[in-house]
Amino acid sequence: MNKYSKFKVAYCLNICLVVLGIVGLIVSIHSNGLGLFSYYTQDSNILGLLSSLCFVITGYEGFKSGKVKTNNFVSKFRFMATSCMCLTFLVVVFVLIPLAGFKWTGWYLFGGANLYYHTLCPIISFISFTFFEDVVNLRFVNTAINFIPTVIYAAVTITLNALNVMYGPYPFLRVHEQSILASVIWFIVIVGGSWGLSILVYILKKKNLKAA
């Protein structure tokens, strides 16, 4: 598959991500109102929605003219958003479902906005970015930048939980219901996992770029 063919696939996948992201946002607003912003799931997917919208807008001329036009900022933005969305998917599968009980698997993956924000958008974004999107000057340092949103979210929500301003929304954020050591470990696991996941996406993307 040549570079432009890959770009066309990526462009179409990002249009799908914009549509699915908007549908998921509407469902989330209906279910949680402004409280949706307390969830990393929604925050990461809104980030993904914005990154895909930027990709579609900046790539329109290239899609229409038959020439691949890669915007450096947008490609890095897509990398960050995809890493955050993949973290959402993995936390759901390996943390939230086991904690809640596997009988809740269907709801966590396919119930309400979860269908879009826990499953479809993270998977499609990973496939699009890793295998089809063109990236300019992708460097390892970008992996460190990618976990900044996760650090900010963790710092804010843990502080608000400690001050009893917020409850959760995830079990591992409820600092008053676990030891300080447990909270520290969870912070390291989630933030470290975010960086590790970003590195994995980086490695896969680099291999794909070399193979192109």
Side-chain angles (χ1 to χ4, degrees):
M1 185 179 288
N2 63 41
K3 197 171 184 179
Y4 179 65
S5 295
K6 284 188 173 184
F7 173 73
K8 286 195 297 182
V9 173
Y11 194 84
C12 292
L13 288 176
N14 274 274
I15 290 175
C16 290
L17 285 169
V18 170
V19 174
L20 293 173
I22 291 173
V23 173
L25 182 59
I26 292 171
V27 176
S28 295
I29 292 173
H30 182 264
S31 301
N32 302 301
L34 293 178
L36 67 91
F37 293 107
S38 66
Y39 292 89
Y40 183 86
T41 291
Q42 272 72 10
D43 295 338
S44 64
N45 276 273
I46 290 172
L47 195 69
L49 169 59
L50 293 174
S51 73
S52 290
L53 187 60
C54 288
F55 185 92
V56 171
I57 292 172
T58 59
Y60 177 72
E61 286 298 324
F63 183 79
K64 188 172 65 172
S65 65
K67 296 180 181 179
V68 178
K69 292 187 177 181
T70 305
N71 182 286
N72 184 48
F73 169 78
V74 174
S75 63
K76 302 303 189 301
F77 190 16
R78 286 285 303 131
F79 183 26
M80 174 186 285
T82 297
S83 297
C84 292
M85 293 164 74
C86 286
L87 179 65
T88 287
F89 177 78
L90 293 181
V91 168
V92 168
V93 172
F94 293 108
V95 178
L96 297 183
I97 290 177
L99 285 176
F102 290 99
K103 65 181 180 179
W104 290 96
T105 300
W107 182 81
Y108 269 106
L109 295 179
F110 309 113
N114 295 342
L115 171 63
Y116 309 99
Y117 282 178
H118 281 175
T119 308
L120 292 178
C121 289
I123 291 174
I124 294 173
S125 189
F126 172 78
I127 292 172
S128 177
F129 178 80
T130 305
F131 301 107
F132 297 104
E133 294 178 27
D134 187 40
V135 178
V136 179
N137 298 323
L138 184 63
R139 296 180 296 169
F140 185 79
V141 68
N142 296 119
T143 63
I145 296 172
N146 285 356
F147 71 76
I148 291 176
T150 305
V151 172
I152 293 173
Y153 175 84
V156 170
T157 53
I158 288 173
T159 300
L160 292 178
N161 270 266
L163 295 174
N164 289 313
V165 175
M166 176 187 288
Y167 181 69
Y170 302 109
F172 47 82
L173 294 176
R174 297 166 189 164
V175 295
H176 293 294
E177 297 179 6
Q178 59 193 14
S179 66
I180 295 176
L181 178 60
S183 297
V184 172
I185 291 173
W186 273 118
F187 181 87
I188 293 172
V189 168
I190 298 299
V191 174
S194 174
W195 190 20
L197 182 58
S198 184
I199 292 173
L200 177 60
V201 174
Y202 170 83
I203 292 172
L204 291 174
K205 185 62 184 176
K206 276 293 190 180
K207 285 185 177 181
N208 183 257
L209 288 173
K210 289 180 180 179

